[in-house]
Amino acid sequence: MSYCLNPACQQPQNPGEALFCQRCGSRLKLGDRYRAIQVIGQGGFGRTLLAVDEAQPDKPRCVIKQLFLQNQSASSQQKATELFLQEVERLADLGQHPQIPNFLAHYEQDSGQYLVQEFIDGPNLAEALASSGPFPERQVRVLLYDLLPVLRFIHGCRVIHRDIKPENIIRPYTGDRLVLVDFGASKYASGTALARTGTVIGSAGYVAPEQAIGRAEFASDLYSLGVTCVHLLTGLHPFDLYSVTEDNWVWSQYLPEPVSDGLKRVLDKMLQRATSQRYHTATAVLQDLSLEPALLSQKSDPASRSAPPITLAALDVIDPVLEPAIDPSQPWCCLKTLVGHAGAVTTVAVSPDGQLLASGSSDKNIKLWSFPKGELLQTYAGRSLWFGSGHSDRISTLVFRPDQLMLISGSDDGTIKLWDLTTHKVHSVLEGGWMVTALAVSANGQLLVNSGGDGSINLWNLNTEEFIGCLVKHRDRICSLLLSPDGQTLISSGYDGTIQLWDLASGRIINTLRPKYRITAIAISPDWRTLISGDIQGKLHVWDLSRGRLIRSLSAHTDRVSSLVVSSDGLVLVSSSNDNSIKVWDWSRGDRTDLRSDHRIATVRHTWGVNTLSFSPNGQFLVSGSADETIKIWQRGVL
């Protein structure tokens, strides 16, 4: 059967092979590919339909979310459209996480908005509660171990879900991990957005106090997850578990069977009304959870048998990191895994002498490590009541000054901080504009360049710390900066889909390259003749800078390219992606324009998406930082 997408159609059922509705004449396939079969959910602003992808040989099932706005006020229509497009953007940004439905397509067809995503076949936890009754402690622990890493991932991507509840958590019939769905209420959390009161969104009973007044933060999702857990443990709605007279949660009084003190302490802290008393990160919750041996044994009661098993994969979040043995026969081996950040690792940099490694994170902290041993030397903490010198938002970029006396950091808070590596204190602070997205320093250490979220580029005299001027050409956020060794040429790439080459002596554009898709990373050969760019589609592009033209494109990753680096000898190119992979390419052939899929030397991985890469000066070590909150040091073998 084929179901008509026209919400006004009186007889939407049609034969399975029909192209147009027999009743109203509307097209039955979305994008000439996706065919709706039946309605599986409907609300005031739209509906959800089960569909099939007829472009695939096996015609896999998928979901079409349709937005329609009949009989709604103008303001309601505007807000509904905003939230719908927001969900499209969030799902596209979060990539191919195995516990988030895959984003497949977005269409504007016949004056309607459509989102196509992966179909997750299985009951949600509200349905599981209704059919099987309250969850035992073991099942709730499995829930926490399944969902907390997902929250850690989306928070590392600066996204707040804002609608965590049993209905939005699905237990698939295939696979042993729960899936988090419905990002229609999610919000991208920039520093300014977190500080600004916004729209109140969420489901009554599950919403954190600060979210109820329009000031949701990452801890708000942890609160909602805590409410979900006590709902499932007791079988009662959250409204029945909170005492207005005592102004406190009384959920433990309604438990059908007792839970351990350890779980109770964790849930009580997740449910604290004051954010200062609540967990701030999913990692902190995981660290406090302790598995009791008795809970690991399979119980004989029906509820226990219906629960997904606790697997090693579900427990590895609390296991100590074990270093693999070095295999010299492999071209690239993981030498060290560094842990310590309580958020996604967003940027890494190796000092010019190869002795220090700096890392920055969404937890606002900067860490200084010995390199390549990986011993933690210093932490430059984010701004707090106890430490007033740090950044107040995500660390976006780090660079060492060539004389190695200073580490320079940029943040989403819009500031650039110059850290004295002798005293480990802030030497000075520069105002970088609206968000600092990238930094570059000239080889002589005299020129500092920073880019911002508004597309502007600022130039600074690093000796006097005076502002020199501003370059304006990009129309959107700049993602990368490359500064030539002589400090005369700058290359910038932006979300506006352009790569700009600047003559810094005159401040004029030398050339503009216009890729097909949004560029997300760039790197350059040591002779500055060949540029390599990565885009949001996961492709790599090789450019001849002398002629200003594209030479070759290559599909390298299944998600956007997050970082690109070239070894100092120019023989190795490395790309990383949100698809969790790091790919190493032989870039030694000819004039380096002949990049093909068979030039890949090795592929290595993190648990979650890889955000940043950096080579050691001698090119023998590669450093990667990931949304899984780890830093890996990879040793280069014989090519």
Side-chain angles (χ1 to χ4, degrees), residues 30-57:
L30 184 62
D32 293 326
R33 176 171 184 172
Y34 301 102
R35 183 185 296 274
I37 298 175
Q38 66 183 68
V39 175
I40 55 178
Q42 186 155 339
F45 294 97
R47 59 184 177 180
T48 304
L49 304 105
L50 182 63
V52 294
D53 181 359
E54 295 193 341
Q56 301 293 329

Side-chain angles (χ1 to χ4, degrees), residues 208-264:
E210 68 279 3
Q211 185 173 330
I213 60 172
R215 297 179 68 97
E217 53 186 88
F218 300 124
S220 307
D221 281 345
L222 300 177
Y223 181 96
S224 298
L225 181 58
V227 177
T228 295
C229 289
V230 299
H231 178 188
L232 296 174
L233 281 169
T234 62
L236 299 177
H237 192 278
F239 284 148
D240 298 321
L241 303 175
Y242 191 87
S243 171
V244 176
T245 57
E246 297 180 28
D247 191 24
N248 199 11
W249 287 95
V250 291
W251 63 274
S252 59
Q253 300 176 17
Y254 296 93
L255 289 169
E257 61 181 62
V259 300
S260 65
D261 290 341
L263 180 62
K264 185 178 184 302

Side-chain angles (χ1 to χ4, degrees), residues 333-380:
C333 302
C334 182
L335 180 65
K336 291 281 183 182
T337 298
L338 311 183
V339 295
H341 283 292
V345 178
T346 52
T347 178
V348 292
V350 180
S351 63
D353 66 357
Q355 299 298 306
L356 295 174
L357 166 66
S359 61
S361 169
S362 60
D363 64 8
K364 303 181 290 187
N365 294 337
I366 300 168
K367 293 186 181 292
L368 203 62
W369 315 77
S370 65
F371 188 80
K373 290 184 178 180
E375 297 173 352
L376 181 61
L377 303 176
Q378 192 76 30
T379 297
Y380 303 146

Side-chain angles (χ1 to χ4, degrees), residues 313-636:
L315 303 181
D316 62 12
V317 291
I318 61 170
D319 286 344
V321 177
L322 301 178
E323 302 299 343
I326 296 297
D327 181 357
S329 67
Q330 296 300 316
W332 289 85
C333 302
C334 182
L335 180 65
K336 291 281 183 182
T337 298
L338 311 183
V339 295
H341 283 292
V345 178
T346 52
T347 178
V348 292
V350 180
S351 63
D353 66 357
Q355 299 298 306
L356 295 174
L357 166 66
S359 61
S361 169
S362 60
D363 64 8
K364 303 181 290 187
N365 294 337
I366 300 168
K367 293 186 181 292
L368 203 62
W369 315 77
S370 65
F371 188 80
K373 290 184 178 180
E375 297 173 352
L376 181 61
L377 303 176
Q378 192 76 30
T379 297
Y380 303 146
R383 183 180 295 274
S384 67
L385 293 175
W386 302 274
F387 192 77
S389 300
H391 285 287
S392 60
D393 207 338
R394 183 184 78 113
I395 310 300
S396 55
T397 178
L398 292 169
V399 64
F400 285 92
R401 204 169 75 175
D403 61 10
Q404 303 184 157
L405 297 177
M406 191 172 291
L407 174 68
I408 307 171
S409 61
S411 167
D412 284 357
D413 65 12
T415 66
I416 303 167
K417 294 185 184 288
L418 282 61
W419 301 87
D420 188 318
L421 292 177
T422 303
T423 64
H424 299 296
K425 295 181 179 180
V426 173
H427 176 269
S428 54
V429 180
L430 308 177
E431 294 298 326
W434 179 57
M435 303 175 65
V436 177
T437 58
L439 292 170
V441 179
S442 61
N444 62 11
Q446 296 181 10
L447 177 65
L448 171 67
V449 184
N450 87 269
S451 59
D454 59 357
S456 62
I457 299 172
N458 297 324
L459 308 178
W460 305 85
N461 184 320
L462 199 50
N463 291 332
T464 63
E465 300 172 11
E466 295 178 344
F467 178 71
I468 298 173
C470 183
L471 306 176
V472 180
K473 183 66 175 179
H474 289 284
R475 297 181 180 179
D476 204 341
R477 174 175 176 164
I478 296 172
C479 61
S480 302
L481 294 173
L482 298 174
L483 188 57
S484 63
D486 60 8
Q488 297 300 306
T489 305
L490 177 71
I491 303 178
S492 58
S493 63
Y495 281 11
D496 61 0
T498 66
I499 301 173
Q500 305 288 355
L501 280 69
W502 303 83
D503 175 15
L504 293 184
S506 63
R508 295 181 178 177
I509 295 288
I510 300 172
N511 198 0
T512 299
L513 308 179
R514 300 184 184 278
K516 184 176 180 180
Y517 297 106
R518 178 199 293 177
I519 294 300
T520 52
I522 56 175
I524 199 162
S525 61
D527 60 10
W528 268 65
R529 294 181 178 178
T530 308
L531 180 75
I532 186 83
S533 65
D535 69 18
I536 197 169
Q537 300 289 323
K539 293 183 178 180
L540 301 181
H541 309 278
V542 183
W543 303 82
D544 182 344
L545 288 187
S546 62
R547 293 186 244 179
R549 66 186 185 93
L550 179 66
I551 302 299
R552 180 175 296 280
S553 295
L554 173 69
S555 294
H557 294 275
T558 59
D559 203 337
R560 67 175 179 176
V561 177
S562 57
S563 186
L564 289 166
V565 289
V566 178
S567 61
S568 55
D569 56 15
L571 300 180
V572 177
L573 167 71
V574 183
S575 61
S576 67
S577 169
N578 279 15
D579 66 8
N580 310 351
S581 71
I582 301 168
K583 297 192 176 183
V584 185
W585 308 85
D586 179 0
W587 211 28
S588 62
R589 312 191 184 197
D591 59 359
R592 298 188 178 89
T593 60
D594 189 25
L595 185 67
R596 301 178 183 273
S597 58
D598 61 355
H599 293 179
R600 188 174 75 238
I601 302 167
T603 299
V604 293
R605 296 183 182 276
H606 275 264
T607 306
W608 303 124
V610 183
N611 294 326
T612 179
L613 298 171
S614 182
F615 259 119
S616 62
N618 62 11
Q620 295 304 306
F621 298 98
L622 175 74
V623 183
S624 58
S626 168
D628 64 15
E629 304 181 3
T630 68
I631 302 158
K632 290 185 181 290
I633 301 175
W634 307 89
Q635 187 171 21
R636 180 178 177 181

